[in-house]
Amino acid sequence: MEPRFAFCTSADGTRIAYATYGSGPPLLHVASEFLSMDARLALPESRAYFDALAARVMLVIFDVRGIGASACDVNDLSLEAEGRDIAAVADAAGLRRFAVFAESAIQTIHVIRDQERVERLILWSPFKTIGARELASMARDNWSYARRLFAGAFFPEGPVSLQRAFSNAMKDSLTPEIMAGYVEWWAGLDTDAALAAVTAPALVLAREQFTALRQGTMRIAGLLPNSQLRFVPGSSGAPYPGHEPVVEAVFEFMGLSEPASSDATPTAMTAILFLDIADSTALTTKVGDTAYRERERALDGELRAAIREAGGSPAEGKVLGDGVMATFASAKDAIDAALNCQSLGEGAGLPLHAGIHAGDVTREGNNVHGGAVQVAARIADASAPNETLVSATVRDLARTSAGVTFEDRGERELKGVSEPVRVFAVRSE
């Protein structure tokens, strides 16, 4: 299986090199402005990643203007120009409707203008660049050092051979002036409004141990109206090496993985509990990343045990950030579990946000999907540290059985939820 290379012309006459790769539903892969197609395909780790994707999709990759085989004598490096280039590649490859994978390129959100064509959006470790002007100066003044800095940032735990190969690949892919030009465009980006306007379902992927961009990634995921956030194992800032969980998540999101069970069935009035550690960034700064991660892992195990003891079923794997999601057959059991979990979090020095909602869900194994899940997550977001908020539905179901009181907190506008939701704080008697 080999890529099929071709050229197309952008609206302003700029020549853009692209390649199609594999067969299946189309996936347009928008890379960051660091490496050319040739450089990526020459790196064994990157080639294995592309091969794995192309096994089940028609992968479309391209060189952004100024890099690799695309026209290098260019002055316009704006987001609008990049948007025209993406449209030209999609048209030349014959893509009518397609999924987009944006690799460390949050600016891609700005240039997906024709959202009717974008079926799904996958963002890899999205971020808003800080210190862009300083990075541009570094690229111009000391290109060798800048490349090594980027290589170390992408692969903080090595190996050194991969860091060196990445740095050399950057050298072969673009000039320091092109790199500086792109970085300077990043400096003025305002992503919030563009993210909030995205209508396509979105999957945000990041590495569990790549903590440098963790909070920014979580923030960006929260701005997308129809998104899910998933952390995969590893510490690399790139989707390779260790690409297997990344590819698996992409296939699952695109509906290409084999279903775990053929009987995904709706269940009535399932209570959904979301728990998330409050202000993990400040806690990490206070106690150190290693100590925080050890405490978080220990607490995660305790929370899941408490959930099972209360009759609940924790969802498999990480659901959102440092959080846990669980389902219960009754609202009372969900409240009992939330209060026990709050005590565990307080004892560990890791206060929790907690939110509970109840509604119809689609169950697949130990995971559930549906609008009720999103409402529960947003209620948790609205809670204060060490506070459990519940919806009016949960309050009504558990009013006489839970042995707690409910303090009316009024209606809240929750992100991604069309109507205001009345919430209540749980108070132990």
Side-chain angles (χ1 to χ4, degrees):
M1 176 172 52
E2 292 293 329
R4 298 173 293 278
F5 293 91
F7 292 91
C8 63
T9 303
S10 190
D12 63 357
T14 301
R15 187 184 71 165
I16 302 297
Y18 74 96
T20 56
Y21 195 7
S23 61
L27 175 64
L28 179 63
H29 196 287
V30 183
S32 58
E33 292 80 358
F34 295 141
L35 302 185
S36 67
M37 289 186 292
D38 283 347
R40 290 173 183 274
L41 293 170
L43 286 173
E45 295 86 353
S46 178
R47 178 60 187 256
Y49 160 69
F50 282 142
D51 283 349
L53 285 174
R56 303 187 74 173
V57 303
M58 185 184 82
L59 187 64
V60 181
I61 58 178
F62 67 100
D63 285 340
V64 299
R65 57 176 55 206
I67 293 177
S70 290
C72 293
D73 186 15
V74 291
N75 296 316
D76 187 359
L77 302 177
S78 67
L79 299 178
E80 290 73 16
E82 188 172 0
R84 293 191 294 269
D85 297 347
I86 291 174
V89 170
D91 290 341
L95 308 186
R96 295 184 178 180
R97 289 181 60 79
F98 51 92
V100 172
F101 187 112
E103 180 190 327
S104 297
I106 190 57
Q107 64 269 35
T108 306
I109 296 298
H110 285 263
V111 297
I112 301 173
R113 304 300 188 193
D114 188 4
Q115 294 200 51
E116 292 300 317
R117 299 176 70 183
V118 178
E119 292 182 324
R120 294 180 181 274
L121 179 63
I122 303 153
L123 298 181
W124 174 258
S125 284
F127 63 94
K128 185 171 183 177
T129 303
I130 299 173
R133 291 185 176 86
E134 290 79 4
L135 292 175
S137 296
M138 185 188 303
R140 290 188 175 103
D141 296 341
N142 194 334
W143 182 221
S144 177
Y145 176 72
R147 298 196 322 268
R148 292 198 301 272
L149 183 69
F150 274 103
F154 270 89
F155 309 102
E157 296 184 4
V160 173
S161 59
L162 180 56
Q163 293 174 343
R164 184 179 297 113
F166 185 88
S167 174
N168 290 335
M170 285 185 66
K171 180 181 179 181
D172 294 337
S173 297
L174 74 166
T175 66
E177 188 58 38
I178 289 292
M179 180 68 187
Y182 272 118
V183 170
E184 285 171 343
W185 271 105
W186 296 347
L189 287 182
D190 181 10
T191 60
D192 291 7
L195 288 164
V198 173
T199 57
L203 171 65
V204 180
L205 289 172
R207 299 282 190 186
E208 287 179 347
Q209 285 80 45
F210 192 69
T211 57
L213 303 178
R214 188 182 187 91
Q215 287 301 115
T217 296
M218 293 172 63
R219 176 182 175 276
I220 286 170
L223 291 170
L224 290 160
N226 186 15
S227 71
Q228 53 182 281
L229 174 61
R230 181 166 173 177
F231 288 92
V232 296
S235 60
S236 168
Y240 55 88
H243 66 268
E244 291 84 357
V246 178
V247 173
E248 178 185 346
V250 170
F251 287 163
E252 181 180 325
F253 185 61
M254 293 181 66
L256 300 176
S257 58
E258 294 296 328
S261 170
S262 57
D263 4 351
T265 55
T267 59
M269 298 309 291
T270 298
I272 306 125
L273 165 66
F274 264 87
L275 300 164
D276 196 33
I277 296 174
D279 202 0
S280 58
T281 300
L283 288 168
T284 302
T285 302
K286 181 179 180 181
V287 305
D289 184 70
T290 301
Y292 170 80
R293 196 54 55 198
E294 289 175 355
R295 288 163 62 177
E296 185 271 333
R297 278 195 291 265
L299 178 61
D300 183 82
E302 293 177 356
L303 296 179
R304 292 173 185 274
I307 287 165
R308 294 187 183 96
E309 187 175 339
S313 299
E316 296 173 348
K318 289 288 183 187
V319 177
L320 179 66
D322 296 322
V324 177
M325 182 183 78
T327 57
F328 297 82
S330 77
K332 173 188 178 302
D333 291 345
I335 291 172
D336 288 345
L339 295 178
N340 289 336
C341 289
Q342 291 283 25
S343 297
L344 291 170
E346 190 172 5
L350 300 174
L352 301 173
H353 298 290
I356 309 173
H357 183 51
D360 291 345
V361 299
T362 299
R363 185 179 296 277
E364 296 181 7
N366 287 337
N367 290 327
V368 293
H369 311 279
V373 176
Q374 182 182 19
V375 173
R378 298 309 186 193
I379 291 174
D381 291 342
S383 69
N386 290 322
E387 179 181 60
T388 298
L389 291 183
V390 304
S391 66
T393 302
V394 172
R395 191 278 309 262
D396 292 343
L397 290 169
R399 189 197 300 248
T400 60
S401 62
V404 298
T405 58
F406 298 94
E407 181 180 308
D408 191 347
R409 292 296 179 82
E411 292 188 337
R412 301 287 182 92
E413 297 282 347
L414 303 179
K415 187 180 294 293
V417 180
S418 58
E419 297 179 356
V421 176
R422 196 171 200 87
V423 297
F424 298 80
V426 176
R427 293 286 180 260
S428 298
E429 289 188 344

